[in-house]
Amino acid sequence: QSALTQPASVSGSPGQSITISCTGTSSDVGGYNYVSWYQQHPGKAPKLMIYDVSNRPSGVSNRFSGSKSGNTASLTISGLQAEDEADYYCSSYTSIYVFGTGTKVTVL
Amino acid sequence: EVQLVESGGVVVQPGGSLRLSCAASGFTFDDYAMHWVRQAPGKGLEWVSLISWDGGSTYYADSVKGRFTISRDNSKNSLYLQMNSLRAEDTALYYCAKDGGYSYELGYWGQGTLVTVSS
């Protein structure tokens, strides 16, 4: 049950696109299409942004998109906005759940 | 509107016990699996436990297996986490979360209740 690996921080200017990676193994990320992504603003509860690798729940902006290649999943935020500054976590389901180490997104 | 309200977090001594509760409203509680997730101060998210809609299946992270017990009372729309043999490393904000209903995701989260294990 090792945590999935994410970069500690990613930054970008308003309007730019950024991508956050989430690396696991063939036993979790690579073995199942059950990767989800969560956004967490300081002092707030996490919010679901992406499920099943690339699906957006109702109400989530289409600026957020997800993908997967092998053992690495990715979250891309396009048209970066100030409100996107937050921590982001990936998660994979494998009969139990494991979260990523988290990535702090900074809007320059 | 989905609401999840956790309670029961306090300061407890190492080796002690505690029961957390989560009151759910705004959805049909017994249609959904429920989770507990924790976040140590300044750290990342750690999945703790899952219970099926009917309570018939439960799952735990290795870090809490044998010490924590998840349960639910569908007649009271409530989720619980019994925590025994508490350790300093169990200090965290504990979130209750509802299964998303799409697939294998956590769709809605409460605001959390803080558990501090300290002598």
Side-chain angles (χ1 to χ4, degrees), chain A residues 1 34 36 38 40 44-46 48 51-52 57-58 89 93 95-97 99, chain B residues 35 37 39 43-45 47 59 61-62 95 102-106 109-111:
Chain A
Q1 296 182 1
Y34 298 138
S36 50
Y38 303 86
Q40 186 180 34
K44 300 296 187 181
L48 176 67
Y51 68 94
D52 287 357
S58 174
Y89 295 89
Y93 168 75
S95 77
I96 59 171
Y97 291 74
F99 282 98
Chain B
H35 303 255
V37 177
Q39 187 168 34
K43 302 297 184 182
L45 300 173
W47 178 81
Y59 306 86
D62 285 347
Y95 291 104
Y102 295 106
S103 178
Y104 295 98
E105 72 290 331
L106 284 67
W109 302 58
Q111 292 303 309

Side-chain angles (χ1 to χ4, degrees), chain B residues 12-18 67 83-88 90 117-118:
Chain B
V12 60
Q13 291 190 339
S17 297
L18 196 58
R67 300 188 300 123
M83 309 164 67
N84 298 331
S85 302
L86 283 162
R87 307 166 179 167
D90 295 318
V117 183
S118 174

Side-chain angles (χ1 to χ4, degrees), chain B residues 15-92:
Chain B
S17 297
L18 196 58
R19 189 174 90 149
L20 304 183
S21 299
C22 172
S25 60
F27 64 101
T28 304
F29 184 68
D30 56 12
D31 275 352
Y32 293 92
M34 297 292 294
H35 303 255
W36 287 100
V37 177
R38 67 185 181 184
Q39 187 168 34
K43 302 297 184 182
L45 300 173
E46 180 187 13
W47 178 81
V48 172
S49 186
L50 162 68
I51 187 167
S52 61
W53 66 274
D54 62 352
S57 298
T58 57
Y59 306 86
Y60 299 93
D62 285 347
S63 58
V64 306
K65 198 175 296 182
R67 300 188 300 123
F68 290 10
T69 302
I70 190 172
S71 63
R72 65 191 295 163
D73 185 338
N74 288 345
S75 69
K76 296 182 178 179
N77 287 353
S78 293
L79 174 71
Y80 306 101
L81 186 67
Q82 178 66 43
M83 309 164 67
N84 298 331
S85 302
L86 283 162
R87 307 166 179 167
E89 54 264 36
D90 295 318
T91 294

Side-chain angles (χ1 to χ4, degrees), chain A residues 73-91:
Chain A
S74 299
L75 174 71
T76 297
I77 308 175
S78 58
L80 198 62
Q81 298 180 1
E83 67 207 50
D84 300 330
E85 187 162 292
D87 293 326
Y88 291 82
Y89 295 89
C90 62
S91 177

Side-chain angles (χ1 to χ4, degrees), chain A residues 5-70:
Chain A
T5 300
Q6 299 180 232
S9 63
V10 173
S11 61
S13 299
Q16 286 186 330
S17 292
I18 62 169
T19 297
I20 304 167
S21 62
C22 169
T23 301
T25 68
S26 58
S27 297
D28 40 58
V29 174
Y32 304 84
N33 287 324
Y34 298 138
V35 176
S36 50
W37 289 90
Y38 303 86
Q39 176 192 64
Q40 186 180 34
H41 287 108
K44 300 296 187 181
K47 174 187 175 183
L48 176 67
M49 305 302 285
I50 295 286
Y51 68 94
D52 287 357
V53 175
S54 60
N55 294 297
R56 277 188 310 276
S58 174
V60 172
S61 171
N62 59 9
R63 297 186 299 104
F64 292 84
S65 62
S67 63
K68 191 184 85 168
S69 177

